[in-house]
Amino acid sequence: MAWIYLLIASAAEIVWAFTLKASDGFTRPLMVSFNIAALLVAVWFLVQAMRTLPLGTAYAVWTGIGVLGAAVLGVIVLGESASPLRLSAIALIVTGVAMLKLAEG
């Protein structure tokens, strides 16, 4: 169950990062509301996952999935760069997250 909590926390972190950008410096109240709600959901589920998972693993996977999701949204939705170097860096993050999951068993 801890891994499911961690996936929910990671998805909420992606929403948090996206709405942080969409809030336009906290000038768009609706986006700010979504941002705060997503942050609260992300942290709550992260805490639940950390009841079972080691701190280093849980935090690294949470941030890794968050980085991956935010980067993919940036490319697809916001038209950010998809250069080979950037895609390689994202692949390294995915590899690291997968290795941490394998290390947990």
Side-chain angles (χ1 to χ4, degrees):
M1 197 66 188
W3 286 102
I4 293 170
Y5 288 151
L6 193 55
L7 289 175
I8 294 168
S10 299
E13 186 194 12
I14 294 166
V15 172
W16 169 79
F18 185 79
T19 57
L20 187 63
K21 175 79 171 170
S23 75
D24 196 26
F26 290 118
T27 61
R28 298 178 61 205
L30 183 61
M31 286 297 112
V32 172
S33 298
F34 286 138
N35 180 263
I36 292 168
L39 180 59
L40 291 172
V41 168
V43 171
W44 191 85
F45 277 101
L46 179 61
V47 167
Q48 301 314 306
M50 283 184 176
R51 289 180 164 183
T52 304
L53 300 174
L55 166 69
T57 300
Y59 188 71
V61 170
W62 180 63
T63 57
I65 293 173
V67 167
L68 172 66
V72 168
L73 275 179
V75 169
I76 293 172
V77 177
L78 303 175
E80 295 176 352
S81 169
S83 71
L85 183 58
R86 186 168 190 201
L87 295 178
S88 297
I90 293 169
L92 287 171
I93 292 168
V94 171
T95 301
V97 167
M99 290 175 70
L100 284 168
K101 171 66 171 113
L102 290 173
E104 280 303 305

